Amino acid sequence: MLIETPTNRPGTPETPTTAPRRRHDDAPDTAALFARMAELEEGPEREAVRDELVTLWLPMAHRIAGRFRDRGESIEDLRQVAALGLVKAIDRFDPSRGAFESYAVPTITGEVKRHFRDRMWALRVPRRVQELRNKVRVARRELTQNPGSPEPSVADIAAHTGLTEEEVGAGLEALDSFSTLSLDAELSADDDGYSLADTLGAADSSYDVVVDRESAKEGLRRLPERERAILYMRFFEDMTQSRIADRLGISQMHVSRLISRSCARVRDEVLGQRTGNRGTGGTSTTA
């Protein structure tokens, strides 16, 4: 509401005592359309009025989206989110409770902020920590807005915001958690530069070997003595099947069959243990 008090000095222009609030060009007069939509039942006619309202107020939604540019999200996506907030505002607005702009601006702004809160974080961060981050970010900006101002300490931010130093610390950590760092990010500018991925450890395949050996022990113990001896000579002494056959006085083909059957039995028992199906292995016979 604008309140203007004219002066009575002759020859001087009238000057308002309170600066009038600038009305944006993207705030059309749509009171009649809202009143009409409120009277209509659900149907094509009401949808047409609703679409007309969206079209008329869309420039305002785009203007609000522009306030959040350069924060890591494209302006096209921000406009889409703001448009969604506009549609919600139109659907929920009660024409008898005031001007639409006063209701729509916080609704659209809240929708865009919610988008940043819920969609833009690379990692899921509790809402309370996000709020601490925002308070710390605003406090740092306010404390350093004067040229030459030093970087505020944790204690300075805590005193400025009324937060504890522990809460300020959580907010400062969250400032660096909005986006993740690529594993290909270069950590050194030298010729022999390395990336973040180069500093990370890799899984040692030997652990899998240890697990497999421990899993196979029980199955090997249950094999007949001759089959255990054949496996030992083949895999630990690296003897050929023909040498094993000569030592035991059997054919090489028989050695091959015993090795295949013994390995299959141990493997089946191990897999059965891992899936909870114990006792699926058959009983080996010797020739």
Side-chain angles (χ1 to χ4, degrees):
M1 179 177 179
L2 304 182
I3 301 176
E4 297 184 359
T5 303
T7 60
N8 295 323
R9 294 180 182 179
T12 59
E14 295 182 352
T15 304
T17 57
T18 303
R21 188 181 70 176
R22 183 172 69 88
R23 182 175 179 83
H24 294 283
D25 296 334
D26 53 25
D29 184 3
T30 54
L33 284 175
F34 275 112
R36 181 184 174 194
M37 189 176 77
E39 296 173 352
L40 294 173
E41 299 291 337
E42 290 292 340
E45 187 177 357
R46 188 178 190 277
E47 286 297 319
V49 174
R50 179 174 177 263
D51 292 343
E52 184 177 356
L53 286 169
V54 171
T55 301
L56 291 171
W57 285 98
L58 194 58
M60 183 194 69
H62 289 174
R63 172 170 56 82
I64 295 174
R67 299 175 185 172
F68 297 87
R69 66 172 67 245
D70 301 326
R71 296 192 186 184
E73 183 70 301
S74 68
I75 187 62
E76 291 78 11
D77 289 342
L78 290 176
R79 286 180 174 180
Q80 289 290 333
V81 175
L84 175 61
L86 171 63
V87 172
K88 291 182 178 180
I90 291 175
D91 288 340
R92 300 170 183 173
F93 177 61
D94 182 357
S96 65
R97 305 191 64 177
F100 175 70
E101 184 179 7
S102 300
Y103 177 78
V105 170
T107 301
I108 297 172
T109 303
E111 191 71 24
V112 176
K113 289 183 177 180
R114 187 158 45 249
H115 172 77
F116 277 96
R117 186 190 71 207
D118 297 337
R119 304 291 183 182
M120 292 298 295
W121 288 79
L123 298 176
R124 184 63 180 172
V125 177
R127 183 173 181 177
R128 176 178 174 277
V129 177
Q130 294 183 28
E131 292 173 349
L132 289 176
R133 171 188 179 273
N134 292 333
K135 290 180 180 179
V136 169
R137 177 174 56 82
V138 171
R140 289 179 64 181
R141 184 177 65 227
E142 292 175 349
L143 291 172
T144 58
Q145 61 184 355
N146 294 326
S149 299
E151 183 68 22
S153 64
V154 172
D156 294 335
I157 297 175
H160 186 77
T161 59
L163 300 173
T164 66
E165 293 190 8
E166 183 178 354
E167 290 173 329
V168 172
L172 289 172
E173 290 181 1
L175 283 174
D176 299 325
S177 303
F178 190 74
S179 59
T180 55
L181 182 64
S182 170
L183 292 177
D184 296 325
E186 291 289 336
L187 299 183
S188 174
D190 301 335
D191 294 337
D192 58 345
Y194 55 90
S195 67
L196 178 60
D198 296 328
T199 66
L200 304 179
D204 192 336
S205 60
S206 298
Y207 289 127
D208 294 333
V209 175
V210 172
V211 172
D212 291 340
R213 284 182 176 177
E214 291 299 316
S215 300
K217 278 184 178 180
E218 290 300 321
L220 290 171
R221 291 192 183 103
R222 285 192 284 268
L223 289 176
E225 183 178 355
R226 185 171 68 166
E227 293 185 20
R228 290 203 306 271
I230 290 174
L231 293 181
Y232 183 83
M233 286 185 285
R234 179 68 186 92
F235 296 108
F236 289 88
E237 295 186 349
D238 201 23
M239 293 176 60
T240 63
Q241 293 182 9
S242 58
R243 286 187 59 193
I244 296 173
D246 292 341
R247 177 175 292 188
L248 299 179
I250 58 178
S251 68
Q252 179 181 342
M253 184 64 69
H254 196 182
V255 171
S256 178
R257 287 199 300 267
L258 290 174
I259 291 175
S260 297
R261 185 170 61 187
S262 301
C263 290
R265 176 179 174 179
V266 173
R267 181 173 59 252
D268 290 344
E269 289 189 8
V270 170
L271 294 177
Q273 292 172 1
R274 290 180 179 177
T275 58
N277 299 321
R278 297 179 181 271
T280 57
T283 302
S284 175
T285 59
T286 59

